[in-house]
């Protein structure tokens, strides 16, 4: 992986252009599904409600080479949350997985709390129309906080590998007040669960699988894909506090590989890529996508993806 | 046939005030037979905060095994501290249910948190005592039973029992919130889960007790075995308009031969509210059955959901 030929395409979806007139901003955590004649990219946008952002899942279609959008951006359709439900205040991210004729999505639901800004949990939705509309699988989450994982269970992505479903996700370890702003900030780490069924998952163990390289590192958005030797992962990482303005400690892309899914070797070679205007201050919320001749990394740049998402091709 | 003999308000919390944790309420009694005394755990509250919100702590009182109306000792401390910031039990430890399991004294408890859109949420935690039940330590910072796909919120009211070396956890699961945004009330129903180790639970996944109407709220599933059958005392009420009026908590009763399939006995002679002016004239809530000194009792809460304390009645099955 590290010595592959790389092309940086920069921004391929501009939210200012594609979401103009909708009242929506941001196009976060792009995650794509390949169909016969097009590629459907799911992402999350936000609207303003009562002085707070609410995140909603969206999709847009691209040509099969991911050169340009061939559809408008549209909201993903699904039923509203119940009152008091785990995703009452938004969904981000939205992680699709094609299994046969169905498209599943692992969602992260947000709900606002009083003593901390938010709590999250992982839900499951199912689509039989290629991802235009989804049915909720149950009214509550399929993965939630548990004995050793006290809060902020989120960012699930599932890969079907070696005849089992592998979920890579986050669990929160700490809430810390930012010394400069006093605002509570989150620390989370990447975890791993294995199951024979897509909706029943074992209890998390609170064991981080990716070693940290900075103190109180917050890791996010793991995206895992198989390769010839096992699995590889792209994710993002930052300091726990003072990371919102860009500069050292703000989000950058990490990389790790594993032969068994349990034990991972970290090698953040992505950090050596040159930066462009799109990602001059931060790089975050990545996902892998396999095309015929290359593996692609879709990701967000500055301002946590406010302005759209971009792409890097890793040629085989 | 069930016979009752009321013994009145036997634990008046106002006589045991402690400003740090115990000003009002003594709710959801759970008993632990410790030989020389019977320990009765209950949940209590300090003064509410500026917005009127309460937290709950669990404490206990020791009573005579031969006469549980007689208090012989009272705990000066809560059995556990509240959870840390952002945890499921940051705002309350209530109710509390101890059990001796594989020579360990463990307890399951309701942990309370505060969402913005509804008044509260609850998940169930697990703790262990290493000092004979005076204090308990969490086995982990998170819950052992939390909302899942079919139980979206309020996983609470744990009452754990051991039958044939399997742990049975009777609990309540929320199904929906009703009412106006400023006055949200939850609807919850009684369910059961089983476990061989206390950590991994199989939920049956359906309500145990048929409802009398679609709005019914059920709580306090208190299961016992007596005279050849499993029996459950519980309480039920309307989902709205239930505070101190005709829709408020009443005692319910059901029977089972297998702990899974329950027949509700709507006309069983349960304990009914006391006469006008009595401490239990408006409601009978949160029953807990225990046997001691050759007799059987039910501890329960009266008016105000146990704001004043708890009381006892002697009970006999025929």
């Amino acid at each position: 992986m590290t010595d592959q030929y790389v092309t940086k395409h920069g921004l391929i979806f501009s939210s200012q252009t594609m979401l103009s007139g909708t009242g929506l901003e941001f196009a976060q955590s792009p995650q794509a599904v390949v169909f016969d004649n097009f590629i459907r990219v799911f992402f999350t946008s936000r609207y303003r409600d009562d002085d707070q952002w609410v995140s909603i899942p969206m999709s847009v279609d691209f040509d099969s080479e991911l050169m340009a959008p061939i559809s408008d951006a549209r909201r993903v359709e699904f039923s509203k949350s119940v009152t008091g439900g785990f995703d009452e205040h938004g969904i981000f991210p939205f992680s699709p997985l094609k299994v046969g004729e169905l498209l599943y999505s692992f969602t992260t639901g947000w709900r606002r709390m009083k003593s901390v800004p938010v709590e999250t949990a992982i839900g499951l939705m199912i689509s039989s129309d290629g991802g235009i509309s989804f049915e909720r699988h149950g009214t509550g989450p399929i993965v939630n906080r548990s004995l050793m994982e006290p809060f902020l269970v989120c960012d699930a992505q599932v890969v079907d590998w070696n005849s089992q479903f592998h979920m890579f996700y986050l669990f929160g370890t700490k809430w810390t007040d930012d010394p400069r702003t006093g605002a509570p900030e989150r620390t989370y780490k990447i975890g791993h669960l294995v199951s024979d069924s897509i909706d029943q998952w074992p209890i998390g163990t609170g064991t981080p699988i990716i070693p940290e390289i900075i103190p109180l590192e917050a890791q996010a958005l793991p995206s895992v894909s198989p390769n010839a030797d096992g699995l590889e992962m792209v994710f993002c990482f930052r300091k726990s506090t003072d990371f919102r303005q860009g500069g050292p400690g703000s989000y950058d892309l990490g990389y790790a590989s594993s032969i068994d899914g349990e034990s991972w070797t970290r090698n953040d070679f992505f950090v050596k890529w040159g930066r462009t205007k799109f990602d001059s201050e931060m790089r975050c919320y990545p996902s892998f996508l396999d095309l015929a001749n290359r593996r692609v990394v879709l990701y967000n740049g500055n301002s946590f993806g406010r302005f759209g998402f971009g792409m890097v091709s890793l040629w085989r | 046939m069930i016979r009752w003999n009321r013994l009145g308000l036997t634990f008046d919390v106002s006589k045991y005030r402690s400003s740090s944790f115990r000003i009002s309420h003594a709710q959801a009694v759970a008993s632990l037979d410790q030989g020389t005394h019977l320990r009765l755990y209950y949940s209590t509250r300090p003064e509410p905060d500026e917005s009127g919100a309460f937290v709950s702590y669990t404490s206990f009182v020791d009573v005579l095994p031969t006469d549980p109306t007689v208090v012989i000792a009272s705990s000066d401390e809560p059995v556990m501290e509240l959870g840390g910031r952002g945890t499921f039990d940051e705002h309350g430890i209530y109710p509390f249910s101890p059990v001796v399991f594989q020579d360990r004294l463990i307890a399951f408890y309701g942990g309370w948190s505060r969402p913005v859109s509804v008044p509260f949420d609850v998940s169930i935690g697990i703790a262990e005592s290493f000092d004979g039940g005076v204090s308990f330590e969490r086995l982990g910072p998170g819950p052992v039973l939390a909302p899942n796909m079919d139980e979206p919120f309020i996983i609470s009211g744990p009452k754990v029992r051991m039958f044939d070396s399997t742990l049975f956890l009777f609990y309540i699961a929320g199904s929906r919130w009703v009412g106006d945004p400023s006055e949200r009330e939850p609807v919850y129903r009684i369910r059961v889960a089983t476990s061989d180790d206390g950590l991994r639970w199989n939920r049956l996944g359906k309500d145990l007790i048929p409802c009398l109407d679609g709005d019914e709220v059920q709580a306090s599933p208190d299961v016992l075995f007596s005279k050849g059958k499993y029996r459950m005392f519980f309480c039920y009420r309307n989902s709205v308009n239930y505070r101190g009026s005709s829709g408020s908590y009443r005692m319910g009763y059901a029977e089972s031969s297998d702990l899974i399939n329950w027949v509700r006995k709507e006309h069983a002679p349960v304990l009914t509210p006391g006469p006008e002016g009595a401490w239990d004239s408006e409601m009978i809530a949160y029953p807990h059955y225990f046997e001691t000194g050759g007799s059987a009792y039910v501890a329960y809460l009266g008016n105000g959901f146990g704001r004043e304390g708890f009381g006892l009645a002697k009970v006999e099955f025929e």
Side-chain angles (χ1 to χ4, degrees), chain A residues 82-84 88-89 111-116 137-142 144-147 150-151 175-177 184 199 203, chain B residues 85-88 90-91 113-118 121 126 139-143 146-149 152-153 177 184 199-200:
Chain A
V82 297
T83 301
E88 211 178 4
H89 296 121
R111 68 192 295 217
R112 296 177 203 145
M113 304 295 285
K114 291 197 172 137
S115 67
V116 290
H137 187 64
T139 45
I142 57 163
N144 200 353
R145 44 180 162 194
S146 62
L147 192 65
F151 40 69
W175 280 99
T176 310
D177 285 335
D199 64 349
I203 301 168
Chain B
R85 179 150 70 142
T87 59
F88 77 103
E90 188 179 354
H91 295 113
S113 61
R114 290 184 189 155
V116 163
S117 66
V118 292
D121 201 358
I126 183 174
L139 294 192
N148 74 1
M149 195 163 104
F153 38 69
W177 284 90
R184 295 249 189 247
L199 299 177
R200 286 168 302 183

Side-chain angles (χ1 to χ4, degrees), chain B residues 51-214:
Chain B
S51 73
F54 286 99
V55 294
S56 286
Y57 290 93
T58 290
S59 188
F60 64 84
V61 67
D62 291 344
V63 298
L64 275 182
T66 48
D67 183 354
T69 66
V70 177
V71 171
I72 51 182
S74 166
S75 169
D76 290 331
E77 307 273 347
V79 302
M80 288 173 67
E81 286 307 313
L82 299 179
R85 179 150 70 142
T87 59
F88 77 103
D89 54 355
E90 188 179 354
H91 295 113
I93 308 282
Y94 154 53
F96 189 88
S97 180
V99 66
V100 176
F101 176 66
Q102 295 174 354
D103 291 329
R104 298 162 66 189
L105 177 53
I106 60 174
F108 295 89
Y109 64 94
W112 291 62
S113 61
R114 290 184 189 155
V116 163
S117 66
V118 292
F120 59 88
D121 201 358
V122 193
S123 290
I124 292 172
I126 183 174
E128 181 164 3
S129 177
F130 302 99
D131 60 9
V134 174
S135 70
F136 284 75
E137 289 169 30
R138 310 171 156 69
L139 294 192
V144 76
L145 213 69
N148 74 1
M149 195 163 104
D150 301 314
E151 299 177 358
F153 38 69
I154 306 174
I155 308 302
S156 187
K159 288 193 185 238
V160 64
R161 301 288 183 269
M162 272 269 288
F163 292 114
D164 282 343
S165 77
T166 298
L167 286 169
F168 282 76
L169 187 68
F170 296 90
Y171 66 101
I172 58 170
S175 54
R176 65 187 195 284
W177 284 90
V178 298
D180 297 328
S182 58
E183 282 180 333
R184 295 249 189 247
E185 295 286 356
V187 176
Y188 36 77
R189 304 272 163 77
I190 290 165
R191 293 196 163 196
V192 68
T194 54
S195 173
D196 294 321
D197 63 4
L199 299 177
R200 286 168 302 183
W201 289 89
N202 294 310
R203 301 185 214 206
L204 181 68
K206 58 184 174 83
D207 298 342
L208 291 189
I209 308 293
C211 293
L212 298 182
D213 70 61

